[in-house]
């Protein structure tokens, strides 16, 4: 599916979210230069990253006061915002199949984008749910949709694994220029260890009643 979110792409993304809880999107050739520039920005910002408890190093873009240092990363984030907006009419009626029905996806805001790096031959990130407290299943409108942007050209290892209903597993290689969109509140996912340094940017789109760390999505 193309990155621009035009044509039938929003409907296809929503259908995949409804059926599987996740969707995979690849960027067009016109975005490859921006991806490479964003990866270079992440590498130049190495000294700004903070070590996280889960073994990776992270940087929130709002913490970079000189916006010229993250111009390409921000351009990618704005493009993802546009894609999510175009998907909203269909996301609003999407329900992930399962024993526990989830609330429809109605986006109100998003978190600040977070860039994470994993060192080569380091640990991965074990199976988890982004919103384990049941966000979106009642009055607690928290994380509903996660978007992860892979910044590497290619990886050895570092595969992204989705756990579907009834125990089936979908193992997805993170090719260059790949985005994953998935339900934050229900989809179990994990990241396998990588043999090279892995870089990715993540943003969480929140329910309509949530005050997030960033209100950029609502204003732009």
């Amino acid at each position: 599916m193309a990155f621009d979110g035009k044509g039938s792409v929003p409907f296809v993304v929503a259908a995949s979210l409804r059926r599987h809880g996740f969707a995979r999107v690849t960027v067009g050739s016109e975005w490859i230069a921006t991806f490479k520039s964003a990866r270079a920005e992440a590498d130049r910002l190495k000294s700004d990253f903070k070590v996280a408890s889960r073994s990776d190093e992270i940087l929130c873009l709002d913490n970079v006061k000189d916006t010229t240092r993250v111009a390409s990363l921000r351009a990618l984030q704005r493009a993802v915002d546009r894609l999510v907006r175009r998907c909203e009419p269909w996301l609003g009626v999407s329900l992930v199949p399962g024993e526990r029905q989830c609330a429809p996806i109605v986006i109100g805001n998003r978190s600040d984008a977070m860039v994470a790096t994993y060192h080569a031959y380091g640990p991965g990130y074990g199976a988890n749910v982004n919103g384990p407290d049941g966000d979106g299943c009642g009055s607690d409108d928290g994380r509903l949709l996660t978007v992860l942007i892979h910044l590497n050209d290619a990886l050895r290892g570092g595969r992204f694994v989705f756990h579907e209903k009834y125990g089936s597993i979908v193992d997805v290689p993170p090719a260059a220029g790949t985005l994953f969109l998935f339900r934050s509140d229900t989809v179990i996912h994990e990241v396998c260890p990588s043999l090279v340094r892995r870089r990715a940017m993540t943003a969480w789109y929140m329910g309509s009643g949530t005050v997030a760390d960033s209100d950029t999505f609502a204003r732009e």
Side-chain angles (χ1 to χ4, degrees), residues 41-103:
E41 287 175 353
D43 290 343
R44 288 193 295 269
L45 289 164
K46 183 177 180 180
S47 61
D48 295 77
F49 280 73
K50 305 296 184 184
V51 177
S53 59
R54 59 189 188 185
S55 79
D56 57 346
E57 296 178 351
I58 61 174
L59 173 67
C60 293
L61 295 190
D62 277 355
N63 292 337
V64 182
K65 302 307 178 185
D66 182 356
T67 57
T68 62
R69 300 175 68 199
V70 291
S72 294
L73 288 165
R74 284 297 190 191
L76 288 178
Q77 182 61 77
R78 288 192 295 271
V80 171
D81 281 349
R82 290 193 294 271
L83 173 61
V84 172
R85 283 196 200 94
R86 288 170 179 148
C87 290
E88 272 194 287
W90 290 276
L91 293 177
V93 296
S94 294
L95 292 175
V96 177
E99 296 179 2
R100 181 173 66 115
Q101 288 289 302
C102 299

Side-chain angles (χ1 to χ4, degrees), residues 99-181:
E99 296 179 2
R100 181 173 66 115
Q101 288 289 302
C102 299
I105 299 177
V106 180
I107 303 298
N109 218 323
R110 70 157 165 78
S111 69
D112 180 29
M114 181 188 77
V115 182
T117 65
Y118 287 83
H119 295 290
Y121 298 98
Y125 193 36
N128 71 99
V129 176
N130 285 163
D133 59 346
D135 287 349
C137 294
S139 60
D140 179 15
D141 289 328
R143 297 178 181 181
L144 290 180
L145 187 69
T146 301
V147 179
L148 185 144
I149 305 171
H150 287 284
L151 298 175
N152 284 64
D153 272 335
L155 285 177
R156 287 181 294 153
R159 299 174 75 86
F160 210 84
V161 179
F162 290 103
H163 297 249
E164 288 192 299
K165 187 182 178 185
Y166 304 126
S168 59
I169 293 177
V170 178
D171 191 341
V172 186
T178 301
L179 290 78
F180 292 127
L181 301 90

